[in-house]
Amino acid sequence: MDIIPAILPKDFNELEDKVNLVKGFVDTVQIDICDGQFTQTATWPYKKSDDHFAAILEEKEGLPGWDSLDFEIHLMVNNPEEVISEWITAGAKRIIIHPKATEKLEECMKLMEGVVEIGFAFDIDDLVEIMDGVDFIQLMGISNIGAQGEPFNDNVIEKIVEVRDMYPMVPVSVDGGVNLDTAIELINADRLVIGSAIFESENIPQTIEEFRSIINR
């Protein structure tokens, strides 16, 4: 099982600071991107406060830690087909979209196939259906997506089992509400995406190792 820190950046500086806190301790970081329409609040780069994203797209600079980390981009946005190519240019290894956020799912797939690993994300109450070419499923463990520190919805535990039965060969990530207590209940997942439980801890490297010790029991 992989431990993947999740960053919900209000601006580029926060993204850079948090990447630096986990760089060297993990292989992959998830960047949560919210447009303020599909979600209640917006994040960088939709919450525009700098020109870093434009510079990244022009290849004048890279995402923080690009030389030592892989990035999965969780697009909590309406019409992801409009921005997928930008995040591919920015250096994403994986891109996660919510199927219900688009009416052009096949177009999304065509943009991503053979270029990045493709993830479909589903909320607690969503019907889970995937297409050929989807590399993994991400199940949301909270009801209010686009926020960190939200309470864990333990219905996701049963949903993991259901998805395993439906798609036994497809890796499953759980994102939202994951902490040192809930992680014990999520051992059937392949990846744990963790935000506040890592970044609000007093000793981030130690906390990451504690998560690893739980899932590797």
Side-chain angles (χ1 to χ4, degrees):
M1 187 188 293
D2 290 338
I3 299 297
I4 301 176
I7 301 174
L8 189 75
K10 65 179 182 293
D11 54 35
F12 185 82
N13 287 339
E14 181 178 23
L15 175 62
E16 187 171 42
D17 289 345
K18 287 188 172 179
V19 164
N20 286 334
L21 289 173
V22 297
K23 187 168 62 173
F25 303 107
V26 295
D27 297 322
T28 303
V29 167
Q30 178 172 294
I31 306 176
D32 292 327
I33 304 299
C34 303
D35 63 359
Q37 298 176 21
F38 186 71
T39 54
Q40 293 181 5
T41 58
T43 64
W44 178 88
Y46 285 92
K47 188 177 179 181
K48 183 172 173 57
S49 56
D50 56 62
D51 295 319
H52 286 285
F53 192 60
I56 290 169
L57 295 182
E58 294 171 4
E59 300 183 2
K60 294 179 180 178
E61 62 179 282
L63 289 169
W66 65 269
D67 54 344
S68 59
L69 286 168
D70 290 326
F71 292 98
E72 58 181 35
I73 307 300
H74 181 190
L75 293 177
M76 289 177 274
V77 305
N78 284 329
N79 307 313
E81 66 277 1
E82 296 176 359
V83 297
I84 284 171
S85 294
E86 291 183 343
W87 286 103
I88 291 172
T89 298
K93 179 182 179 181
R94 302 173 183 148
I95 293 180
I96 304 159
I97 64 171
H98 289 252
K100 66 182 180 183
T102 179
E103 295 180 355
K104 298 180 178 179
L105 203 50
E106 291 187 2
E107 180 179 335
C108 290
M109 294 294 292
K110 288 179 181 177
L111 289 168
M112 295 186 285
E113 281 178 332
V115 184
V116 293
E117 293 178 31
I118 302 170
F120 276 13
F122 299 94
D123 294 343
I124 292 290
D125 297 323
D126 288 346
L127 176 66
V128 176
E129 292 183 327
I130 65 173
M131 305 167 66
D132 289 343
V134 171
D135 295 296
F136 65 99
I137 295 167
Q138 181 157 295
L139 300 178
M140 304 306 297
I142 56 176
S143 300
N144 181 25
I145 68 169
Q148 287 188 343
E150 290 289 301
F152 180 69
N153 187 329
D154 59 11
N155 289 336
V156 75
I157 298 168
E158 182 179 345
K159 202 168 185 92
I160 295 171
V161 176
E162 294 174 359
V163 170
R164 286 284 192 211
D165 289 340
M166 295 166 60
Y167 305 104
M169 303 305 293
V170 181
V172 176
S173 297
V174 177
D175 178 11
V178 181
N179 57 39
L180 291 169
D181 294 321
T182 59
I184 298 170
E185 306 295 328
L186 299 171
I187 58 173
N188 288 323
D190 298 288
R191 300 170 184 152
L192 296 183
V193 181
I194 307 165
S196 56
I198 286 178
F199 290 107
E200 293 179 8
S201 67
E202 295 182 359
N203 188 323
I204 286 176
Q206 179 179 318
T207 299
I208 291 171
E209 288 308 309
E210 288 176 0
F211 275 109
R212 289 191 175 125
S213 69
I214 288 172
I215 63 179
N216 291 323
R217 286 177 180 173

